């Protein structure tokens, strides 16, 4: 035998029973999005690298350090998608979806790739299920999107704090950026190496540095909310009012800036205190469609980190009881008929493929979590019944199935 092959670092298999939680997350989110009339879109896993450079931003960690980039046989530069929004925006423009209706509500699900340092809840291949809304500039759209996030958390029974902030717009952010830069200049001796670089290129990112020294140094930093122009302020205030009216709990976090450059106005994260990180995140990106070559189109969205949120939720047990059929003797056609009938009734059924004594078979039934063992011998076949053994009580009785 050769050496045991391992999956690449940060790339992981999702095995049973974890896959049940994974699917519980995606199906729950899908069901909720359907109630809000979202429809699905599937975009390629690979895009031209510019799709991400022009959206996520050239100065971001994702584009600078975390993308899997490669050239194809014709020398074209391609990248594995690090997130879903950029590809959906590219498709929205390419297929002129904006010409079809005043707004679109789309969702997607699939693997994303980031060359990050792997740790619990952080992988190089991970999955997102995300939603994007194209068209509305109104704060009602932001409020409803956050209501969806809150519905998801509730349906999955995930404890998380919904943090919100406003990053302003092209009108008001430049003045804030300058004020922040000036402030950071003054505290630069306390900043980490990364932040010393960020403070000129991408000063807002300094605000969410996890290094204690940087956190301490930016405590008194100017806040974006104090710089919002009239329109951004009204948008933000209306959003908060709507959330309160809708009963959506939230907390303002003035340091919430997000790791992608396309955001304007509303940004948010659902942060799990257990994990100390975001399980769902998103915001508004009113310039991105235009920036990528489409008509000016306000837009907003979020993505659920499926593996991440799966760490703090649990799939309920399957509703359908499991029946394990144990045939003894020359009864296979009859046993198969029994199996068929039980499945028609919506039960989960396994038939034992192996011959063996009753004790061994029952041990196996127990191991796979069967609710009932269905013993089918020649006597049972003659009488047109089966012996049904309740695995939890041990009680058994003859019942008619076919
Ligand atoms: P993001 O914050 O980069 O936003 O990712 C969204 C979520 O994906 C995170 O909150 C986290 O749960 C999960 N996630 C991110 N990186 C990893 C990783 N390496 N391993 C496991 N989970 C991870 C976006 O991607 C935006 N496209 C969200 C959005 C949609 N904004 C507007 N529309």
């Amino acid at each position: 035998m050769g050496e045991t092959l391992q999956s690449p670092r940060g790339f992981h298999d999702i095995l049973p029973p974890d896959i049940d939680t994974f699917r519980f997350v995606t199906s729950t989110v899908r069901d909720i999005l359907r109630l809000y009339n979202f429809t699905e879109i599937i975009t390629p896993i690979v895009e031209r690298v510019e799709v991400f450079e022009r959206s996520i931003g050239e100065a971001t960690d994702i584009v600078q350090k975390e993308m899997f980039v490669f050239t194809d046989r014709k020398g074209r530069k391609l990248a594995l998608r690090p997130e879903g929004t950029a590809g959906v925006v590219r498709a929205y423009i390419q297929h002129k979806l904006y010409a079809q209706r005043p707004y679109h509500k789309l969702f997607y699900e699939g693997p994303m790739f980031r060359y990050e340092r792997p740790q619990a809840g952080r992988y190089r291949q991970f999955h997102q299920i995300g939603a994007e809304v194209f068209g509305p500039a109104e704060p009602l759209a932001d409020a409803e999107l956050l209501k969806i996030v809150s519905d998801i958390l509730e349906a999955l029974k995930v404890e998380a704090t919904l943090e919100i902030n406003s990053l302003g717009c092209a009108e008001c952010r430049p003045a804030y950026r300058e004020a922040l830069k000036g402030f950071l200049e003054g505290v630069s001796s306390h900043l980490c190496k990364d932040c010393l670089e960020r403070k000129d290129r991408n000063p807002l990112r300094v605000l969410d540095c996890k290094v204690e020294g940087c956190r301490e140094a930016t405590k008194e930093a100017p806040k974006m909310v104090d710089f919002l122009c009239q329109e951004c302020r009204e948008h933000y205030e209306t959003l908060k009012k709507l959330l309160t009216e809708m009963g959506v709990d939230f907390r303002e976090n003035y340091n919430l800036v997000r790791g992608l450059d396309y955001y304007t106005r509303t940004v948010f994260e659902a942060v799990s205190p257990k994990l100390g990180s975001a399980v769902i995140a998103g915001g508004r990106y009113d310039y991105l469609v235009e920036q990528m070559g489409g008509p000016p189109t306000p837009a907003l969205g979020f993505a659920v980190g499926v593996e991440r949120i799966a760490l703090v939720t649990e799939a309920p047990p399957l509703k359908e009881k499991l029946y394990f059929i144990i045939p003894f003797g020359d009864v296979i056609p009859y046993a198969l008929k029994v199996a068929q009938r039980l499945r028609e009734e919506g039960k989960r059924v396994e038939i034992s493929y192996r011959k063996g004594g009753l004790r061994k078979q029952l041990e196996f039934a127990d191991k796979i979590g069967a609710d009932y063992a269905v013993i089918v011998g020649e006597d049972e076949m003659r009488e047109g019944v089966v012996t049904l053994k309740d695995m939890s009580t041990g009680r058994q009785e003859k019942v008619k199935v076919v």
Side-chain angles (χ1 to χ4, degrees), residues 83 85 114 116 121-123 128 132 258 262-263 278 301-302:
E83 57 105 57
T85 310
R114 294 185 195 174
E116 292 194 84
R122 200 206 280 156
Y123 313 97
Q128 287 184 343
E132 312 292 348
R258 311 275 299 124
Y262 49 62
Y263 293 110
F302 68 79

Side-chain angles (χ1 to χ4, degrees), residues 51 242 246 261 263 282 301:
V51 169
L242 286 167
M246 287 170 159
D261 279 353
Y263 293 110

